[in-house]
Amino acid sequence: MKQTQIERLQELQELLADVFLDEADPRNWPSAGVKQADMPQKDRGDRVWIKKNAMGTVNLICRITTLLAPSAPAGGGTPDDEKQELADMRKAAEKEATELLTRLNGAEAQPPKKPNAKSRG
C-alpha cells in the first residue's frame, strides 16, 4: 500500500473514532435518562438504530486497523512458527471450551466419579 493511502486510512480511522465516541455515548441517545418503559416507541426505535450505527462505525475502525496491521510477523516468523502458534491457539481454545462447558453444565460436564470401595461400609 502506498504511504499516502496509509496516511489517509489513519486519518479516517481517527475521524471514525470520534464519531463512534459520540454515537456510543448513551447520554446522546433519544430519551437519555428515561426508563425504557416510559419511552415513546419512536425513541426506542431511534435508540436501536443509533446503536446499530455505532456498531457499524466501530466495525469500520476494526477493518481499517486490520488493513493497517503489518501482514508479516515482525520477527519474520517461519511456517513452523506459525504452525506451532496455531496449535497453541487450538489447545487454548479447547481448554477454554472445556472450562466453559464445565461451568455451564456443572457436575454433568465432569466424568462421573467411580465409587471408592474403601468408603463403602
Side-chain angles (χ1 to χ4, degrees):
M1 197 175 324
K2 296 178 186 175
Q3 185 61 33
T4 55
Q5 292 172 323
I6 292 172
E7 291 169 2
R8 286 176 59 196
L9 283 171
Q10 288 171 336
E11 181 182 342
L12 182 60
Q13 187 178 33
E14 290 176 20
L15 291 171
L16 286 169
D18 290 335
V19 171
F20 172 72
L21 289 173
D22 286 336
E23 290 176 342
D25 188 347
R27 295 171 294 191
N28 296 334
W29 298 347
S31 297
V34 177
K35 291 183 180 181
Q36 189 170 2
D38 298 334
M39 280 183 214
Q41 183 177 0
K42 181 184 181 315
D43 285 356
R44 287 194 310 265
D46 289 347
R47 287 169 68 106
V48 169
W49 281 107
I50 288 172
K51 292 174 190 178
K52 287 183 180 185
N53 284 337
M55 292 305 298
T57 302
V58 79
N59 189 21
L60 284 172
I61 294 169
C62 291
R63 299 289 182 179
I64 292 171
T65 301
T66 302
L67 283 172
L68 293 174
S71 59
T78 65
D80 288 337
D81 292 340
E82 291 175 12
K83 286 180 185 177
Q84 183 60 45
E85 184 178 351
L86 287 173
D88 293 344
M89 288 172 59
R90 179 180 169 209
K91 285 181 186 177
E94 287 175 350
K95 180 180 177 186
E96 185 177 346
T98 302
E99 290 171 358
L100 181 60
L101 283 173
T102 301
R103 276 188 280 154
L104 288 174
N105 296 328
E108 296 173 18
Q110 298 174 0
K113 294 182 180 181
K114 294 182 181 179
N116 188 347
K118 292 180 182 178
S119 64
R120 290 185 182 171

